[in-house]
């Protein structure tokens, strides 16, 4: 059963990266739809390439493993249960 945890974690990270890629793609699509009205930008191939590079970069940044320093939730250390119990009166 211990082999299932890394697979599940990887699938969750891939799902998160895919959702981030979709959000970046929608943002790039909306931006290029606005810029399409400009005559100098409408026929440029570099605009399309920059949009594709942005989507790929968003996917890779989310998919890369992050260090423990970047976590928002600090680690919580719980004291040992035997040490935290008060001594029984005799």
């Amino acid at each position: 059963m211990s082999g299932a945890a890394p697979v599940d974690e990887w699938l969750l990270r891939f799902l998160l990266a895919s959702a981030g890629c979709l959000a970046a793609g929608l943002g790039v699509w909306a931006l290029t739809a606005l810029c399409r009205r400009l005559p100098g930008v409408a026929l440029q191939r570099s605009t399309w390439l920059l949009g594709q590079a942005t989507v790929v970069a968003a996917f890779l940044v989310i998919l890369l493993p992050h260090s423990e320093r970047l976590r928002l939730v600090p680690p919580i250390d719980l004291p040992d249960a035997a040490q935290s119990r008060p001594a029984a009166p005799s």
Side-chain angles (χ1 to χ4, degrees):
M1 188 79 168
S2 64
V7 172
D8 290 342
E9 183 181 335
W10 185 82
L11 286 175
L12 185 62
R13 186 176 294 272
F14 186 79
L15 179 66
L16 183 64
S18 297
C21 182
L22 180 65
L26 289 174
V28 167
W29 175 77
L31 187 63
T32 55
L34 290 174
C35 292
R36 199 176 342 181
R37 297 178 182 170
L38 300 173
V41 179
L43 298 176
Q44 296 257 338
R45 210 181 289 183
S46 62
T47 305
W48 176 84
L49 185 62
L50 183 61
Q52 295 298 319
T54 303
V55 171
V56 169
F59 182 78
L60 292 177
V61 164
I62 296 172
L63 194 61
L64 288 175
H66 300 289
S67 70
E68 293 294 322
R69 294 183 301 157
L70 298 177
R71 288 190 172 207
L72 296 177
V73 180
I76 299 172
D77 294 326
L78 298 175
D80 192 22
Q83 295 175 353
S84 65
R85 234 181 298 156
S90 45

